[in-house]
Amino acid sequence: MDRRSFLRYGALAGTALGAARINPDFFFSSAFAQEARPLVFLSAENITGNWDPTAHTTLSQTNIEGFVMGYLTRAPMRPDDPEKVVYELATEITELDAHRLQIKLRDGITFHDGKPFTAEDVKATFEYGAQLDRPKQVYPGGPDTFAVETPDDHTVIVDTSKGGYGASLFIFLASYLPILSAKDVAGGPKGPLSQRLNGTGPFRFVEQRGNDTVMEAYEGYFRGAPKVTGVTFSFVGDATTRMLSLMNGQADVIERLEPEQVETLEARDDIKISRLVSVENKYLWFRCSKPPFDDWRVRRAACHAIDRSMIMEIMGSAGEASSNFISPIKFGYIDLENYPEYDPDECQRLLAEAGYPGGEGLPELEYITSTGFYPKTKEYGELIAALLQEQGFPVKLNVMEVAAWNERLYDRPGGGPGHMVDCGWSTGSPEPDLVLRTHFHSSAKRICGIVDPEIDAALDAERDAPSLEARKESLQTNLMPMLADKAPALSLFTSVLIHGMRSNVDGLFIYPDGQSDASRTTLS
Amino acid sequence: MFILRFLARRLGQGAIIIFLVSALIFTLLRVVPGDPVRLMVGGMAPDTLVEEIAAEMGLRDPIYVQFGRYMGNVLQGDLGESFVRPASGAAVGGASFDDSTRGERAKVLDLIAETAPMTLQLALLAMVFALMIGVPIGVWGGLYPGRLPDRLALYSSSLFVSLPNFWLGIVLALLLSVKLNLLPAIGYKGFSYTILPALVLAVEIAPFIIRTLTVSVAGVMGQSFIDIARVRGLSRNQIVFRHALKNSAVPLLNLLGVQFSMLLGGVLVIEFIFDYPGLGLLTINAVMQRDFPLIQGIAIVTAAVFVLINIAVDLLATAIDPRLDY
């Protein structure tokens, strides 16, 4: 065979093989030729691949759960009434006494797999979500600290007398963990829970197709079938790409807009902007279990070196000033009087008292932050590093891509990498314990790694208070001021959640944690 | 016999290249900072568990042991499983250390087989657009060396080569998709989604085609056989299309081969900007997530494609010009 024949026959064979494999749909499927179509939501964050709602603390996946799953209550968490809850699968929650809470459930509801929703599902969810080995362990103690009775199919009684804490803690937690089917829970963490979402929400989980999570309207939703045919929730990593998608109509809603993007989009008639004070605070976490930040005076000195008003200028519309360790839309928030403000003299006094006059003797301090996930982290990281250096802290800023930062984020034996880490924390419930206990109790330390018996006692005291009012007082007069003094972290500001959406999207309710209620949404 | 000798020699050389690329990528991935196991098990997992899983996966063995094991599997057609991606193919982040879906990780070969046709389609269309832009300008410039068409070819190629592709991508998306609503820009739901990214890539490639053609056409037109063709009474069109272009095609062919290989392996920025679900986007996410098996698999496949394309280009060149001997 000569070279020309070889080429000729080779080309023919290749063409024949290729043609046989071509699916015409691969080429032709117009994006613009759709009438009744799903709502397209572009997310800035990827998902985990394991659908068990207790297996992760990933916001994007929590947002997907918000479309599919049902909750006993929902918490709109608006600044004017942060404690408001709206009943969903529950119709009534009553404190029978300090340790007993009665929850009445809605009748006639079914999961997407057809199974009726009953009190057994709530019991199974509470017990499963409380297991200490669940990454999103949410209830105040392990499952042996409370008991759940189900006198009938639509009544649940939670008794926390074994744990010694108030049952009122479950009120806000009820709007945090979605209700799972007892049948799914019985399969355990490796069972059906991890394979797909099965809820009672307005949209039914259909499939994960590449980076698209496909959901369709659930006809049997108890408040009536949604108007849109479904929701396509897609991970698109690049902020500019998300913005272009919104501008050309390929996306209906996009999240995590940068302030500059807001300015661009606000000038357009076909796009509207939603701004919400979010549940997320951004923190500078100190590694409290290793020097020099194992000394509260050094931590507090660092806090006094940072001028948060300058950070707010950098953040623009993406940040809201706050002076506490939780967002202003959480239960118990107050502006703390002793919250550390910019005060160079106090910084120097504390440094000298700790044995580092003018910063002399301090080791080189690594400040770890990320770029590309939270807005402006690099910009205000540079500012914080400069402000700290001004007071004598030998700070080296390390700006990392998200995966590398995430790998170094959490506390480890010996203190974890670096000395300071920038990270936000966000939980979709007014319950402050989900932030405070998670980070500052020695049994559950996440990033700062603090072990302090006084803080533990203050956390337990507010948890064990017999009523919501007593808890609020304990939080505001004991725990929160103590945290401000000991400064295991500095909460820099509260994030503002900014969504962009097409102006034809009506009736989309966005919660301050990023979840959305699209059950009444129309695309006019 | 020429074909057999040629193929045997070039495939043998190609195998060595692929082996060296694999060894280099494999080693580099294991010496750069960033522990993939930490990403797999989640940030909150204890260090002991990280070490336990890493040891189970053989990631604490010496690099040459790991590489030997890996190449043994590759020779059997097994590129392994992604560290983080589930079978659905979604770009995922680490969940928890007891993530039960770990047993259903996507096969690297499947992920590449799903995304490579997308990139192939993009690269082919980009080449077609680039030829449509580059050939007329390049040939025109080559036919009038030193005159206005030549200068125009030089200026246009200088302009095209100076446009950063990420900037051009955004500008074209704003113009053609947002303002004029002519084309979709983001993602992929059909052939039309390939047009804009292909156009951006074409603008990137066209200058090389223009310059190569301008120089080679001008060179061919100055050769004596062209003068003889004129004496033989052939028309200018016949001379250009039958003789000059054919003889100018060999350098162009080599250039296209290299460009096409680079397109297949190097469309990272464009696929990221347009969220185009091809090999480039797959690569970016794999690098971000320290997904070693996926990065290695992509490197091996793209190296193999590079080798095969170059063999095909050389074969084509010898078919066009039998004087060439590779």
Side-chain angles (χ1 to χ4, degrees):
Chain A
M1 184 185 283
D2 63 20
R3 67 191 78 163
R4 285 171 193 266
S5 307
F6 177 80
L7 282 170
R8 193 178 303 127
Y9 291 130
L12 277 173
T15 308
L17 271 173
R21 288 190 60 85
I22 286 177
N23 172 3
D25 293 342
F26 181 77
F27 295 104
F28 302 105
S29 169
S30 170
F32 294 140
Q34 298 170 32
E35 288 298 325
R37 60 178 186 83
L39 183 81
V40 177
F41 191 113
L42 300 191
S43 161
E45 189 185 14
N46 52 19
I47 55 171
T48 72
N50 179 349
W51 291 108
D52 182 344
T54 70
H56 68 93
T57 55
T58 300
L59 271 181
S60 59
Q61 199 160 315
T62 304
N63 292 349
I64 294 169
E65 288 161 16
F67 290 112
V68 176
M69 307 300 285
Y71 296 71
L72 291 177
T73 59
R74 297 271 191 168
M77 289 182 284
R78 296 308 197 236
D80 54 342
D81 188 5
E83 296 165 28
K84 180 181 178 184
V85 290
V86 177
Y87 291 113
E88 189 173 296
L89 295 179
T91 55
E92 186 187 316
I93 297 181
T94 317
E95 289 183 74
L96 299 177
D97 55 49
H99 292 300
R100 287 194 313 140
L101 197 70
Q102 177 178 277
I103 305 167
K104 287 285 186 188
L105 304 179
R106 200 175 293 278
D107 196 5
I109 291 179
T110 54
F111 283 92
H112 297 154
D113 68 354
K115 181 193 164 300
F117 161 71
T118 68
E120 283 304 314
D121 301 307
V122 178
K123 177 178 162 67
T125 301
F126 280 3
E127 289 173 353
Y128 183 64
Q131 287 180 22
L132 297 173
D133 66 346
R134 303 312 302 147
K136 195 179 183 175
Q137 190 268 333
V138 289
Y139 292 101
D144 56 348
T145 64
F146 65 92
V148 183
E149 292 167 35
T150 52
D152 61 58
D153 274 357
H154 298 101
T155 307
V156 175
I157 295 176
V158 182
D159 185 340
T160 58
S161 40
K162 275 193 290 183
Y165 52 83
S168 61
L169 273 162
F170 277 79
I171 293 176
F172 293 132
L173 289 171
S175 58
Y176 184 55
L177 190 67
I179 296 301
L180 313 171
S181 158
K183 195 172 112 192
D184 292 345
V185 172
K190 294 182 192 302
L193 280 178
S194 66
Q195 308 305 319
R196 52 44 171 162
L197 285 173
N198 176 31
T200 60
F203 296 93
R204 194 174 65 81
F205 175 81
V206 178
E207 63 172 331
Q208 183 67 32
R209 193 186 298 150
N211 283 342
D212 300 335
T213 306
V214 181
M215 295 166 269
E216 66 180 23
Y218 175 48
E219 294 294 325
Y221 182 55
F222 73 94
R223 285 181 178 143
K227 302 284 189 297
V228 289
T229 60
V231 177
T232 303
F233 189 94
S234 306
F235 163 56
V236 175
D238 183 58
T240 306
T241 307
R242 289 197 299 274
M243 185 175 79
L244 287 170
S245 302
L246 183 71
M247 290 167 78
N248 74 4
Q250 282 185 250
D252 298 304
V253 186
I254 63 171
E255 64 169 4
R256 287 190 189 263
L257 264 64
E258 300 269 352
E260 296 80 8
Q261 293 180 316
V262 173
E263 285 171 27
T264 304
L265 294 177
E266 271 180 336
R268 294 176 61 102
D269 293 337
D270 56 347
I271 286 168
K272 54 189 178 187
I273 302 291
S274 158
R275 275 197 193 86
L276 285 173
V277 176
S278 82
V279 286
E280 177 188 83
N281 273 26
K282 285 300 302 291
Y283 303 87
L284 180 65
W285 303 95
F286 300 111
R287 299 288 198 201
C288 299
S289 56
K290 68 180 185 184
F293 290 127
D294 54 351
D295 184 335
W296 71 270
R297 292 168 298 188
V298 183
R299 300 196 296 263
R300 179 101 187 173
C303 294
H304 285 303
I306 297 169
D307 186 348
R308 290 186 294 131
S309 67
M310 292 170 78
I311 299 174
M312 295 315 301
E313 278 176 33
I314 291 175
M315 291 308 296
S317 58
E320 179 93 356
S322 58
S323 293
N324 201 326
F325 295 88
I326 54 172
S327 157
I329 55 172
K330 294 247 179 192
F331 174 76
Y333 178 90
I334 46 164
D335 278 319
L336 289 167
E337 283 177 13
N338 65 333
Y339 200 77
E341 296 296 339
Y342 178 59
D343 186 345
D345 294 338
E346 183 63 2
C347 169
Q348 290 305 323
R349 189 188 71 74
L350 285 163
L351 272 180
E353 199 180 308
Y356 304 106
E360 204 179 308
L362 283 170
E364 186 176 71
L365 303 171
E366 187 187 11
Y367 171 11
I368 297 172
T369 191
S370 62
T371 183
F373 183 55
Y374 297 111
K376 306 284 180 196
T377 36
K378 181 172 178 286
E379 288 84 348
Y380 74 69
E382 285 167 352
L383 170 69
I384 289 175
L387 288 168
L388 286 167
Q389 283 161 357
E390 208 172 275
Q391 298 303 320
F393 287 88
V395 175
K396 184 185 75 175
L397 180 67
N398 197 348
V399 184
M400 298 175 167
E401 49 96 0
V402 178
W405 162 81
N406 197 34
E407 186 209 337
R408 290 162 175 78
L409 179 61
Y410 293 100
D411 175 62
R412 296 179 199 168
H419 300 86
M420 292 170 277
V421 188
D422 174 90
C423 178
W425 203 261
S426 165
T427 51
S429 161
E431 176 51 56
D433 239 24
L434 291 169
V435 178
L436 301 176
R437 179 166 292 269
T438 302
H439 288 290
F440 304 127
H441 196 279
S442 55
S443 65
K445 53 189 179 177
R446 282 287 188 272
I447 301 174
C448 65
I450 191 161
V451 177
D452 186 317
E454 284 181 358
I455 296 178
D456 286 356
L459 276 162
D460 291 343
E462 62 89 6
R463 184 194 64 174
D464 296 346
S467 67
L468 279 179
E469 275 314 303
R471 275 194 75 206
K472 187 184 273 185
E473 193 187 340
S474 181
L475 280 162
Q476 294 178 344
T477 59
N478 186 24
L479 175 64
M480 289 167 171
M482 184 186 292
L483 288 173
D485 278 341
K486 293 183 183 256
L490 178 68
S491 172
L492 301 168
F493 55 87
T494 300
S495 301
V496 173
L497 198 65
I498 310 177
H499 285 72
M501 64 184 87
R502 303 287 303 174
S503 50
N504 66 341
V505 177
D506 292 315
L508 180 71
F509 185 89
I510 300 175
Y511 292 91
D513 63 338
Q515 285 198 355
S516 314
D517 179 359
S519 62
R520 304 266 70 84
T521 300
T522 56
L523 298 172
S524 55
Chain B
M1 281 308 288
F2 165 81
I3 286 292
L4 284 180
R5 275 203 319 274
F6 174 85
L7 286 178
R9 193 175 70 248
R10 294 298 296 272
L11 288 173
Q13 291 168 350
I16 294 169
I17 290 170
I18 294 168
F19 177 82
L20 291 175
V21 167
S22 309
L24 190 67
I25 296 279
F26 196 93
T27 309
L28 283 177
L29 283 175
R30 276 150 185 81
V31 295
V32 294
D35 185 354
V37 183
R38 171 57 65 183
L39 290 172
M40 287 167 67
V41 299
M44 290 179 267
D47 280 355
T48 48
L49 187 80
V50 172
E51 286 309 310
E52 197 181 302
I53 291 174
E56 261 174 38
M57 296 174 68
L59 288 170
R60 296 296 183 257
D61 294 338
I63 292 176
Y64 64 87
V65 174
Q66 292 184 50
F67 184 63
R69 194 165 47 226
Y70 178 71
M71 287 313 284
N73 291 333
V74 169
L75 289 175
Q76 296 171 51
D78 179 8
L79 291 177
E81 286 181 351
S82 163
F83 276 174
V84 288
R85 286 190 182 234
S88 68
V92 298
S96 63
F97 53 86
D98 61 353
D99 182 354
S100 58
T101 54
R102 183 164 301 122
E104 295 170 14
R105 294 299 181 201
K107 290 197 177 308
V108 168
L109 204 55
D110 290 348
L111 288 171
I112 294 173
E114 280 163 20
T115 49
M118 306 294 302
T119 301
L120 188 65
Q121 178 176 311
L122 176 59
L124 279 171
L125 193 63
M127 294 303 280
V128 170
F129 284 159
L131 287 168
M132 285 165 65
I133 299 167
V135 169
I137 300 175
V139 171
W140 196 39
L143 291 175
Y144 300 97
R147 292 165 61 185
L148 183 66
D150 186 20
R151 286 201 296 275
L152 282 177
L154 177 66
Y155 298 153
S156 59
S157 57
S158 303
L159 177 71
F160 289 162
V161 86
S162 310
L163 298 174
N165 58 9
F166 62 89
W167 175 84
L168 185 65
I170 292 169
V171 168
L172 283 182
L174 274 171
L175 186 68
L176 297 178
S177 190
V178 175
K179 291 275 181 210
L180 302 174
N181 212 14
L182 288 175
L183 288 167
I186 312 297
Y188 186 85
K189 286 180 186 160
F191 183 73
S192 53
Y193 285 76
T194 314
I195 296 173
L196 258 183
L199 210 51
V200 178
L201 288 170
V203 171
E204 211 175 326
I205 304 163
F208 302 102
I209 296 175
I210 293 171
R211 292 311 299 154
T212 304
L213 268 180
T214 307
V215 171
S216 67
V217 167
V220 170
M221 290 300 285
Q223 287 188 18
S224 53
F225 75 91
I226 297 291
D227 297 333
I228 292 167
R230 287 197 189 103
V231 173
R232 282 168 56 208
L234 295 181
S235 68
R236 183 171 168 82
N237 281 349
Q238 285 174 317
I239 292 170
V240 171
F241 289 106
R242 285 195 193 164
H243 299 285
L245 282 185
K246 188 178 170 188
N247 281 282
S248 307
V250 173
L252 180 65
L253 199 60
N254 285 320
L255 173 83
L256 292 182
V258 173
Q259 288 291 340
F260 193 71
S261 309
M262 285 174 67
L263 276 178
L264 287 181
V267 289
L268 306 182
V269 175
I270 292 305
E271 289 196 358
F272 187 62
I273 288 175
F274 289 99
D275 197 45
Y276 188 85
L279 271 180
L281 196 58
L282 189 70
T283 309
I284 287 182
N285 285 319
V287 171
M288 295 285 209
Q289 296 172 319
R290 309 287 187 274
D291 197 348
F292 287 2
L294 193 49
I295 300 170
Q296 288 156 195
I298 293 169
I300 287 178
V301 168
T302 48
V305 170
F306 188 84
V307 165
L308 292 175
I309 287 176
N310 276 291
I311 292 173
V313 164
D314 288 347
L315 265 175
L316 267 174
T318 59
I320 292 170
D321 186 351
R323 291 170 302 173
L324 296 171
D325 181 17
Y326 289 102

